[in-house]
Each structure stands twice: as C-alpha cells, then as structure tokens.
Amino acid sequence: MIIRPYGDTLDDGAVQLSFTLPVPDGPKGREAARLFVEKLGFKHTEITHSHALAEGFSFYVAYGKTETSIDFDTVRIKEATGDKVYSMDEACEVIKEKIGRKVVVVGACTGFDAHTVGIDAIMNMKGYNHHYGLERYSEIEAYNLGAQVPNEKLIDYAVKVKADAILISQIVTQKDVHIQNLVEFIELLQAKGLREKFIVCVGGSRIGNQLAVELGYDGGFGKGTYADHVATFIVDRVIEQKVAR
Ligand code: B12
C-alpha cells in the first residue's frame, strides 16, 4: 500500500513544517524560509506564519506538497517488545510461575538530566495514563533513584540491591549529550566487568530500540511507553537467562 501525507484531500502530499532561522523576522527571512522548504523538494511552498524569537532569530511555519511516498507494506519496526505485552497481573503471574522470586529493578534519570516525569511514569506506583508503574507490581521490587543521578552511583546501587535490570531515562538530547552519557554508562559497566550481570534499558522521548542496541543496551523505549512494555521485556529476558544457565 503506497501512502503519503495529506491535508485537504487524500494523497495530496501536503506537509506542515516548522523551524527557526538565525535571521530577523521580515520579508527576507520569510523568503529565505520558503526557498529552504523548496530546496527540501517541496512544491507549492508557502510560509503561513512567522514571528521574531529574539533579536536576529525568527520562527516559521511552512506548508508544502510532496510527491514522495512510502510503501507501507515494506516498513519493518524494530521495537523492543513484540505484539504480546503482559498486563500487570499477567507479568506478576509469569514471574511467580517461571522465575519464582521477585524481580529487582533500579531506575534513574542520569547525568545532568533533571526530567523525572518519564522515569516516574514507568516506575512510580500511580504510573501513567491508566497504566500502573513498576512499584505497583507485587512481584517487582522497584527502586527509583530520581534525576541527575551519576552513572557510577546508579551502578553501585544496582550492585547493592542485586538488581536484575537497570532502567535509564534520557530526555535532554541537545548536542547529543545523551549519547555521551549513555556510552559512558556502558563503558563503566564493562570496566567493572558487570555488563552481563544486568539487563540494561534506556528510555526517553527521542530514544528508540535501534539506537539503544547500537549503543550496547539490551532495549530502548520511546514515546508512548508504559510500565507494561518494559516489564514484559525484563520478565522475558530474565526467563531467557534462567533457561540459558
Ligand atoms: C516538564 C519539562 C521540564 C521540567 C521537568 C520537571 C521534571 N521534574 O521532570 C523542567 C522545567 C525542570 C525542565 C527543564 C529543562 N528542560 Co524540559 N521539558 C519539559 C517538557 C515540557 C515535558 C517533559 C515531560 O514531562 N514529558 C512527559 C513524559 C511522560 O514523557 P517522556 O519524558 O517522554 O517519557 C515517556 C517516554 O519517553 C518513556 N520514557 C522516558 N524515560 C524512560 C525510561 C525508561 C527506562 C523507559 C522504559 C521509558 C522511558 O516513557 C515515558 C512514558 O511514556 C518537555 C517538552 C515536551 N512536551 O516533551 C521539555 C523538554 C524535554 N525540555 C527541554 C529542555 C531543553 C530543558 C532545559 C535544558 C531547559 C533549560 N534551558 O534550562 C531544562 C533541563 C535541565 C536539566 N538539567 O535537565 C527540551 C529538550 C530538548 C532536547 N531535545 O534536548 C524539551 C523537549 C522542550 C523543548 N522543546 O525544547 N523541563
């Protein structure tokens, strides 16, 4: 099935873009913005909104039409969890039956990142959007260390409580600060000879499973993740490890 974005009429290729330019708002800035959108390959380009952000900076909303399309049938996703996601009760049942002890999970938002809402959505008792967090799972022992936690401290804590899994949240991605921080975490684990001891997952609004795996993590979780997803991933991995031993 061939698909493309649309605005008024199915298949018309209409797209809305927004961006900032390091020039003042005005006719010249708007024309520069329009030319930029044209250079991206869009036709029937229009700047529908612009305003000054600060001295010498301006913001634009542009419309354009594209002929580019995607064959939806060829799209393959690489999510950490497949179609089967355990509910909280199912996850706890599986833990009881197949693992026979509580699963220990430690999580934090690391480095200088102060965004706690994401990791709280996954771990806090009350959860997020009608999905309880890991603290609510009777068969999971969950420790949420909060935000701005140094990598070293998170590892030490995971060792102390004999964690099965470590969960990291990274929300700030400016200048790829998350990559630096995530790489440092894995390198620290490796240097301590601990990489194989833990299932290590990272999540955040701009994190995907593919990036996470490339950086040496077991799984990555982005927007729209619930505790159910990460619990399913961890539980299945703990069982796999048990079988392999
Ligand atoms: C609230 C907020 C803040 C609050 C945070 C309060 C708090 N206690 O968390 C405050 C005001 C402190 C703040 C500060 C800053 N913020 Co802020 N903030 C936001 C905002 C508006 C919402 C974030 C949020 O709570 N989302 C809701 C949660 C539920 O979504 P989530 O974090 O994506 O989490 C979900 C998934 O990603 C996933 N997930 C997340 N972590 C994990 C971990 C695991 C293990 C798993 C499995 C899943 C998972 O599951 C969650 C549930 O589905 C966003 C903009 C936006 N609308 O997203 C900007 C935003 C994140 N902030 C931003 C910035 C730049 C900052 C500052 C640097 C601003 C500044 N110059 O000072 C500072 C950062 C300071 C620091 N040291 O970190 C930028 C980041 C840009 C970038 N790409 O790097 C954003 C995107 C705003 C923007 N458009 O510019 N911020």
Side-chain angles (χ1 to χ4, degrees):
M1 183 180 48
I2 306 296
I3 54 163
R4 63 166 61 86
Y6 76 98
D8 290 337
T9 317
L10 197 63
D11 228 26
D12 64 15
V15 169
Q16 176 182 310
L17 298 125
S18 61
F19 52 90
T20 302
L21 290 180
V23 294
D25 184 24
K28 196 166 176 185
R30 282 196 287 278
E31 181 55 8
R34 196 192 65 75
L35 287 171
F36 170 72
V37 176
E38 216 170 64
K39 271 198 161 181
L40 292 176
F42 289 96
K43 301 207 165 112
H44 307 286
T45 53
E46 240 186 292
I47 301 300
T48 56
H49 175 77
S50 75
H51 68 248
L53 285 178
E55 209 184 316
F57 292 87
S58 45
F59 175 77
Y60 301 88
V61 175
Y63 288 177
K65 288 194 174 177
T66 179
E67 282 163 16
T68 308
S69 58
I70 291 288
D71 182 351
F72 196 59
D73 300 326
T74 64
V75 177
R76 298 281 169 269
I77 51 164
K78 291 186 176 143
E79 304 282 326
T81 32
D83 288 338
K84 175 73 192 134
V85 177
Y86 301 130
S87 66
M88 178 177 76
D89 291 341
E90 285 169 343
C92 290
E93 266 318 298
V94 174
I95 296 173
K96 271 194 228 160
E97 267 176 35
K98 300 200 174 155
I99 301 174
R101 60 165 176 82
K102 287 199 179 188
V103 168
V104 182
V105 180
V106 176
C109 183
T110 55
F112 294 104
D113 201 328
H115 294 87
T116 50
V117 183
I119 192 73
D120 286 351
I122 302 298
M123 299 196 74
N124 276 9
M125 182 74 78
K126 71 178 187 310
Y128 173 63
N129 206 11
H130 307 285
H131 293 256
Y132 287 129
L134 299 178
E135 286 173 3
R136 182 88 179 204
Y137 286 55
S138 59
E139 301 309 310
I140 290 183
E141 214 175 288
Y143 300 93
N144 180 355
L145 305 192
Q148 298 197 316
V149 175
N151 285 331
E152 185 95 41
K153 187 174 163 196
L154 177 56
I155 295 173
D156 289 348
Y157 201 90
V159 170
K160 190 174 108 188
V161 298
K162 298 190 175 60
D164 293 287
I166 301 178
L167 302 186
I168 294 177
S169 181
Q170 286 288 275
I171 306 301
V172 178
T173 58
Q174 285 169 327
K175 300 192 195 308
D176 279 345
V177 64
H178 63 308
I179 307 277
Q180 255 168 278
N181 196 33
L182 290 169
V183 167
E184 187 200 274
F185 183 86
I186 290 293
E187 284 177 355
L188 257 175
L189 263 190
Q190 282 166 342
K192 289 171 185 279
L194 293 172
R195 176 62 190 92
E196 301 312 320
K197 272 222 169 288
F198 304 109
I199 298 157
V200 194
C201 298
V202 54
S205 41
R206 295 199 178 171
I207 303 288
N209 189 46
Q210 196 171 343
L211 172 73
V213 171
E214 275 167 23
L215 296 179
Y217 287 72
D218 294 296
F221 298 83
K223 265 188 187 308
T225 302
Y226 298 123
D228 317 34
H229 296 105
V230 71
T232 300
F233 184 83
I234 295 169
V235 169
D236 284 349
R237 282 291 172 109
V238 172
I239 294 168
E240 264 173 38
Q241 287 175 352
K242 221 175 151 223
V243 171
R245 266 184 213 133

